[in-house]
Amino acid sequence: MDTPDLMEDLTILTGATGTIGASVAKELVKNGNHVLLVGRSKEKLDKLSRELEPSSGQIEIFQTDLKNEESGSDIFSHAKSLRKTIRNLICCHGESHLASISRTPREVFSNLTKLNYTSLFFLCQEASTSLERGGSIVIITSPVGQK
């Protein structure tokens, strides 16, 4: 069985600038992986990229808002343009709103649904046709992720 060449394989990591995502990114890059860091803030992505530079892996960044239904296809289109084998999708994005139902505005609920559920559906849908055979989808969530 062939061992994957980590520099030829690409891992897509969403929520890369959050606490969990940044920790995952550090481990992936430290272990020599080529990682596409995905996040909402270009500034935070640039900062994380600079922090990870001395590591042995390669880093790409892609800024998008995962509440946009087209973001999944945009991410995978960009990943394919890098001409690497897309091996893994790791989703670390998400938010919560700590309030009672009666105090949660409809817009907040709608945005949480788009980010925490709808985006995962579209990302996994894209991954189902784009990941190399034997690739992995990993979803990491936390109930305390706040904006």
Side-chain angles (χ1 to χ4, degrees), residues 31-63:
N31 290 310
N33 291 276
H34 188 159
V35 183
L36 176 60
L37 305 173
V38 178
R40 196 173 17 213
S41 166
K42 176 85 164 75
E43 294 77 25
K44 289 181 180 179
L45 285 166
D46 288 338
K47 181 179 182 235
L48 178 60
S49 179
R50 284 190 303 275
E51 290 171 7
L52 297 174
E53 273 181 1
S55 298
S56 59
Q58 286 184 313
I59 303 159
E60 310 285 344
I61 63 170
F62 188 79
Q63 185 274 325

Side-chain angles (χ1 to χ4, degrees), residues 61-115:
I61 63 170
F62 188 79
Q63 185 274 325
T64 191
D65 186 346
L66 290 167
K67 288 179 240 168
N68 175 348
E69 289 185 10
E70 302 303 316
S71 63
S73 60
D74 293 343
I75 292 165
F76 277 87
S77 291
H78 180 73
K80 289 173 186 174
S81 77
L82 299 173
R83 302 203 183 283
K84 300 288 181 182
T85 301
I86 304 171
R87 182 73 58 189
N88 305 297
L89 168 64
I90 304 176
C91 300
C92 298
H93 66 277
E95 289 178 2
S96 66
H97 179 74
L98 303 177
S100 66
I101 289 174
S102 63
R103 294 180 186 261
T104 301
R106 288 176 184 258
E107 182 180 349
V108 169
F109 178 77
S110 177
N111 284 330
L112 289 172
T113 301
K114 288 176 186 175
L115 181 62

